[in-house]
Amino acid sequence: MKRINTEIEIKPTKRLECFVADSDDLIKEAQKLRFRVFAKEMGAKLKTESEGLDYDEVDSYCDHLVVYDNVSNKVVGYTRLLNQYQAEKLGHFYSQGEFSLDKVLALPGRFLEIGRTCVDPDYRGGAILTTLWSALVQYALEGNFNYLLGCASITPGPSGFSVDAVYRNIDAKNIAPSSLQVKPSIPVPDALRCDRDESGIPPLLKAYLRFGALVCGEPCWDEDFNCMDLFVLLPLDQLQERYSKHYMRDCRTSNEIETTTAL
């Protein structure tokens, strides 16, 4: 009897993928992740707490960028993207609820706001943020945006908010000039500030700074989310080719390692 080769070559599936959510179910799963991170972990006071979701009026106008784990079949990372045309329909950028952005928005060019960035606690590490940033950069460049803007949240340490310690660790080249300084609607109360560096610079803010983002002034105190928000502005001409290649390479390497380990 002739031997029949029953082996079929199967192309390996990348473990982590990042894409714009294309269904209500995916968006709801992302909102559940946001709830777990912001409400359960950070102690945010959400109006939607009874539903176990984090959503607001911005969600209906923006694109939802998710990192999906094809092995565990779930959303493990997230950020939402609001461009200036979507913001015009909404009536404002989310950041305008915390800062006066007149100087920033007077710049010529197209704006893309990043918000609600979070990572599943079980997936904390470089791979998720690298995957998320790689897709974000691609989205921004393909959309011909000139600036990324958003808030980088800093949670309190045991002694309070280390506002001054964080600023001491930010390189001078990442501090915006006076012409781009913004004013917070609610400054961090003196009673909540501390000088000790107990938590360091959060990973998301580090990613912003690595890409060349500018910190545009004093932070805003967000009582509902129990954090202080720094407004950051990233001119996309600062995304030099070597940064993009670095993140793309790390993303591919991380995916290959994780796929091998999981399988």
Side-chain angles (χ1 to χ4, degrees), residues 110-123:
R110 302 180 64 198
F111 297 91
L112 176 65
E113 184 179 51
I114 311 166
R116 285 296 204 277
T117 305
C118 57
V119 175
D120 187 307
D122 294 332
Y123 288 76

Side-chain angles (χ1 to χ4, degrees), residues 34-85:
R34 284 163 42 176
F35 180 83
R36 292 199 305 273
V37 172
F38 297 120
K40 296 300 184 181
E41 186 176 349
M42 292 176 53
K45 303 171 185 175
L46 302 176
K47 297 177 182 178
T48 60
E49 183 164 354
S50 61
E51 302 172 63
L53 302 172
D54 169 35
Y55 65 84
D56 60 19
E57 61 175 352
V58 180
D59 283 348
S60 299
Y61 294 85
C62 67
D63 285 337
H64 302 266
L65 193 64
V66 299
V67 179
Y68 194 83
D69 185 337
N70 287 309
V71 174
S72 60
N73 295 315
K74 66 177 183 177
V75 174
V76 297
Y78 172 86
T79 196
R80 71 181 181 190
L81 308 172
L82 184 74
N83 66 46
Q84 65 188 67
Y85 306 110

Side-chain angles (χ1 to χ4, degrees), residues 5-247:
N5 185 2
T6 57
E7 293 183 3
I8 301 174
E9 184 178 352
I10 301 176
K11 186 177 181 181
T13 300
K14 185 190 299 184
R15 175 168 185 176
L16 296 177
E17 286 190 283
C18 192
F19 52 89
V20 174
D22 56 1
S23 70
D24 291 339
D25 287 342
L26 268 177
I27 293 173
K28 180 170 287 189
E29 187 177 345
Q31 291 169 336
K32 289 180 180 177
L33 172 62
R34 284 163 42 176
F35 180 83
R36 292 199 305 273
V37 172
F38 297 120
K40 296 300 184 181
E41 186 176 349
M42 292 176 53
K45 303 171 185 175
L46 302 176
K47 297 177 182 178
T48 60
E49 183 164 354
S50 61
E51 302 172 63
L53 302 172
D54 169 35
Y55 65 84
D56 60 19
E57 61 175 352
V58 180
D59 283 348
S60 299
Y61 294 85
C62 67
D63 285 337
H64 302 266
L65 193 64
V66 299
V67 179
Y68 194 83
D69 185 337
N70 287 309
V71 174
S72 60
N73 295 315
K74 66 177 183 177
V75 174
V76 297
Y78 172 86
T79 196
R80 71 181 181 190
L81 308 172
L82 184 74
N83 66 46
Q84 65 188 67
Y85 306 110
Q86 294 166 326
E88 286 173 4
K89 293 179 181 179
L90 173 62
H92 58 86
F93 283 109
Y94 179 86
S95 304
Q96 287 180 280
E98 296 190 342
F99 299 93
S100 173
L101 303 183
D102 293 346
K103 293 180 180 179
V104 171
L105 298 181
L107 291 168
R110 302 180 64 198
F111 297 91
L112 176 65
E113 184 179 51
I114 311 166
R116 285 296 204 277
T117 305
C118 57
V119 175
D120 187 307
D122 294 332
Y123 288 76
R124 300 280 163 83
I128 303 300
L129 276 182
T130 297
T131 302
L132 192 61
W133 270 99
S134 297
L136 171 59
V137 169
Q138 184 178 352
Y139 181 103
L141 295 180
E142 289 181 354
N144 295 314
F145 293 101
N146 301 100
Y147 299 96
L148 298 181
L149 56 88
C151 299
S153 298
I154 299 176
T155 55
S159 303
F161 291 95
S162 54
V163 180
D164 300 313
V166 168
Y167 271 87
R168 285 198 299 269
N169 285 294
I170 297 176
D171 194 288
K173 70 177 184 295
N174 292 113
I175 300 296
S178 58
S179 59
L180 293 176
Q181 293 285 311
V182 300
K183 184 178 180 180
S185 57
I186 306 176
V188 179
D190 289 339
L192 297 179
R193 299 172 72 123
C194 71
D195 292 327
R196 298 177 59 184
D197 183 6
E198 297 172 322
S199 304
I201 297 180
L204 178 60
L205 180 56
K206 283 184 179 178
Y208 276 121
L209 298 178
R210 172 176 282 185
F211 274 122
L214 301 172
V215 175
C216 300
E218 284 288 306
C220 179
W221 164 234
D222 187 338
E223 183 176 4
D224 287 341
F225 274 75
N226 190 37
C227 66
M228 66 175 188
D229 289 334
L230 289 174
F231 180 79
V232 295
L233 178 71
L234 175 57
L236 284 175
D237 60 9
Q238 295 296 314
L239 283 177
Q240 301 174 22
E241 187 177 358
R242 62 189 180 92
Y243 286 115
S244 182
K245 284 183 176 179
H246 168 76
Y247 270 83

